[in-house]
Amino acid sequence: MPSVNDIRSTFLNFYEKNGHRVVDSSPLVPRNDPTLMFANSGMVQFKNLFTGLETRDYNRATSAQKCVRAGGKHNDLDNVGYTARHHTFFEMLGNFSFGDYFKEQAIPYAWELLTKDFGIPKDKLLVTVYHTDDEAANIWKKVANLSDDKIIRIASDDNFWRMGPTGPCGPCTEIFYDHGDHIWGGPPGSAEEDGDRFIEIWNLVFMQFEQFEDGSMKDLAAQSIDTGMGLERIAALLQGKHDNYDTDLMRALIEASANATSSDPDGPGKVHHRVIADHLRSTSFLIADGVMPSNEGRGYVLRRIMRRAMRHAHMLGAQDPVMYKLVPSLVQQMGAAYPELGRAQPMIEETLRSEETRFRQTLDRGLRLLDDELGKLPEGADLPGEAAFKLYDTYGFPLDLTQDALREKGRAVDVGGFDTAMAEQKAKARAAWAGSGETQDATIWYDLAEKHGTTEFLGYDTEEAEGQI
Ligand code: ATP
Ligand code: MG
Ligand code: MG
Ligand code: MG
């Protein structure tokens, strides 16, 4: 059975053999793109090659890109632990053509890799195309000989990609794997498409047009290809599993979590272990790329993920910091492919240990307060915003952590009330500082917290350039 590491190599070797330059993953913090919080797809580092702003000595590339989707436009944080297919950190395998080959070559490459090199039975695969993209549908028919019901035409934006409001755009084709009718879910486009039976493994984007401000579109001079395949998803199916978390790599992390908390990896704490394994990867890779926990911007996303994992460790009965103890297992699994992980290991461990030590000082009391508050409420009622704010302000509970804790009990937070409480606190802080002659640090802190501390990073949402859709 191929390991996750073998599968990554098979992908890169396949495209290298077909004339692609193997390019290292770029860091998670995009170098020249302040509008994007974290790299969220393989194309991010190649953006200027697609627009023609930059040229290099290759026009075909392949990469395994570190991605984080835990804020902004692509936010999969709430899915983690609960779906079989989402992580906050994952690796996106991709092949790229910068004005070189187009659909007629991208589809046969993908089909050959999946069905020959990876040996996936053809009858388990189906694809979507954009509803007007006859060209792609015909290529699929010719190359893969798929029946019409396995080439599903989709009219939504899920199958039409845009780099931004203007610029390169075009139709996509997504490749799905059918894990079988013992799992709930329907094919893409059906009412049950959100289930986990049909799993999207690969998205091929055809950069075909340029979109102008006046709404018109014309063919791009240099038509390009951008693809993204989730390594964890392809690994799951090649290892005969349905769930990403059952792959060799994720399983090793889950077992490390179970050992460190002396609990059963498959017992009632199963979801906790999944969340911990996932968040261990995102937090460690973020720290390795220079992000540190803080109360704003990228650092606050990191802190939110870390604290969330720490609550899950606490739920497993951990009496001491846990996360830092799992780092060696991660380095063992991924250090060869990502040497930065080993180099940063001491810093990752120290950052996790000190954050968990600090957070544990208020975590217990915060959770008790949460239980008390819930006890006072009628069955099923939302947690009042003031209580969520107190947890945030006094106990260091990011809002999404409180929401995550409530989700297990089938409850939610009154987010409007939370925002009001935040606004009131801010006004009070302003009044208290005004005329005091001191710096306005507290006010600034509340501004930042308001901007970044609530559920979504709207500031990035609107601006953020898209990766794959
Ligand atoms: P989904 O619809 O399942 O959320 P997506 O359409 O948002 O996936 P893309 O943006 O097309 O995903 O990304 C390209 C590929 O990356 C996907 O086909 C999938 O294999 C993988 N992928 C996307 N998001 C995640 C995630 N959160 N965790 C693991 N793999 C992912
Ligand atoms: Mg998605
Ligand atoms: Mg999708
Ligand atoms: Mg997709």
Side-chain angles (χ1 to χ4, degrees):
M1 195 169 64
S3 67
V4 169
N5 286 318
D6 296 335
I7 295 165
R8 189 193 301 105
S9 305
T10 302
F11 184 99
L12 297 174
N13 291 342
F14 175 85
Y15 281 101
E16 187 175 33
K17 181 181 83 194
N18 284 292
H20 294 63
R21 178 75 58 86
V22 181
V23 178
D24 280 347
S25 173
S26 66
L28 283 166
V29 177
R31 278 206 190 93
N32 298 320
D33 192 345
T35 65
L36 182 64
M37 181 163 275
F38 300 123
N40 57 16
S41 74
M43 65 79 68
V44 168
Q45 67 166 325
F46 299 119
K47 229 178 250 182
N48 290 343
L49 296 177
F50 288 117
T51 55
L53 268 176
E54 188 191 336
T55 51
R56 296 192 190 157
D57 64 344
Y58 53 84
N59 54 16
R60 296 175 171 212
T62 183
S63 67
Q65 173 67 44
K66 302 180 278 189
C67 294
V68 166
R69 294 190 175 183
K73 182 174 162 32
H74 289 287
N75 189 353
D76 288 332
L77 189 55
D78 291 331
N79 289 324
V80 169
Y82 299 96
T83 73
R85 67 184 202 274
H86 286 108
H87 302 282
T88 56
F89 171 94
F90 64 99
E91 289 177 75
M92 198 185 282
L93 302 169
N95 60 290
F96 308 91
S97 149
F98 312 110
D100 187 18
Y101 63 85
F102 200 44
K103 293 178 201 179
E104 76 298 332
Q105 185 70 74
I107 291 175
Y109 277 151
W111 191 251
E112 183 185 338
L113 176 59
L114 291 176
T115 57
K116 292 223 180 84
D117 298 62
F118 285 148
I120 300 173
K122 188 190 135 173
D123 61 354
K124 298 274 194 193
L125 296 167
L126 60 161
V127 304
T128 60
V129 295
Y130 192 56
H131 64 136
T132 55
D133 194 0
D134 293 331
E135 205 180 8
N138 289 336
I139 299 171
W140 274 120
K141 182 127 201 97
K142 198 172 109 212
V143 170
N145 198 21
L146 290 173
S147 54
D148 287 343
D149 60 322
K150 292 199 167 173
I151 305 177
I152 301 168
R153 288 175 184 257
I154 302 277
S156 76
D157 276 359
D158 272 357
N159 281 65
F160 197 90
W161 178 89
R162 291 164 199 283
M163 194 178 277
T166 57
C169 60
C172 332
T173 185
E174 293 190 328
I175 305 172
F176 287 75
Y177 181 82
D178 179 2
H179 281 269
D181 59 11
H182 58 293
I183 296 155
W184 183 82
S190 73
E192 293 91 38
E193 68 175 354
D194 286 339
D196 270 341
R197 174 175 167 186
F198 293 87
I199 295 213
E200 175 190 332
I201 49 173
W202 204 348
N203 198 349
L204 318 186
V205 177
F206 309 127
M207 290 191 200
Q208 187 162 358
F209 309 109
E210 176 155 15
Q211 166 92 54
F212 296 96
E213 220 145 317
D214 64 5
S216 65
M217 255 190 232
K218 79 171 213 261
D219 276 4
L220 276 169
Q223 296 182 323
S224 293
I225 293 292
D226 155 29
T227 86
M229 167 152 76
L231 173 58
E232 298 75 5
R233 294 188 190 182
I234 186 77
L237 79 87
L238 294 178
Q239 295 183 0
K241 309 286 193 225
H242 167 245
D243 193 312
N244 287 3
Y245 291 83
D246 288 332
T247 56
D248 63 316
L249 195 160
M250 295 307 290
R251 193 65 200 173
L253 304 181
I254 285 172
E255 264 151 28
S257 165
N259 284 339
T261 53
S262 311
S263 56
D264 177 357
D266 304 306
K270 189 174 164 189
V271 169
H272 301 310
H273 292 301
R274 293 160 69 96
V275 174
I276 288 169
D278 173 83
H279 292 8
L280 171 70
R281 295 211 306 170
S282 45
T283 56
S284 301
F285 274 96
L286 285 171
I287 296 166
D289 279 348
V291 183
M292 292 303 273
S294 77
N295 286 330
E296 54 163 322
R298 297 187 171 102
Y300 195 64
V301 176
L302 170 61
R303 173 162 282 164
R304 282 165 57 204
I305 304 173
M306 289 168 102
R307 292 197 168 179
R308 219 170 142 122
M310 289 160 188
R311 187 189 69 84
H312 284 276
H314 181 89
M315 299 310 287
L316 289 165
Q319 301 296 321
D320 298 299
V322 169
M323 293 300 286
Y324 79 96
K325 294 184 188 155
L326 311 180
V327 178
S329 303
L330 176 64
V331 174
Q332 195 187 359
Q333 292 297 319
M334 301 189 72
Y338 297 97
E340 66 271 33
L341 214 49
R343 285 196 294 270
Q345 184 172 349
M347 189 172 63
I348 298 168
E349 290 177 355
E350 183 46 33
T351 308
L352 283 169
R353 202 178 57 77
S354 68
E355 180 81 7
E356 197 162 357
T357 304
R358 254 177 76 185
F359 186 46
R360 290 190 63 89
Q361 291 167 4
T362 55
L363 179 59
D364 242 337
R365 280 184 289 142
L367 290 172
R368 244 178 284 133
L369 176 97
L370 182 60
D371 275 341
D372 290 351
E373 290 290 333
L374 287 177
K376 290 190 225 155
L377 294 175
E379 188 85 11
D382 284 359
L383 182 76
E386 304 88 76
F389 182 72
K390 183 161 185 200
L391 286 168
Y392 164 81
D393 196 36
T394 311
Y395 299 98
F397 281 34
L399 178 60
D400 71 274
L401 183 150
T402 303
Q403 289 170 319
D404 187 44
L406 288 173
R407 175 180 176 154
E408 290 153 18
K409 306 177 202 284
R411 302 281 194 103
V413 176
D414 167 17
V415 176
F418 176 87
D419 290 341
T420 309
M422 173 82 84
E424 277 166 13
Q425 178 76 302
K426 200 175 107 182
K428 266 194 236 149
R430 280 230 163 83
W433 284 93
S436 70
E438 294 189 51
T439 59
Q440 300 235 335
D441 283 351
T443 319
I444 292 165
W445 192 83
Y446 279 110
D447 276 340
L448 290 169
E450 185 181 51
K451 196 162 157 215
H452 301 291
T454 53
T455 39
E456 275 292 338
F457 289 74
L458 296 173
Y460 290 96
D461 249 1
T462 45
E463 302 282 333
E464 185 175 283
E466 295 179 29
Q468 307 273 341
I469 302 182

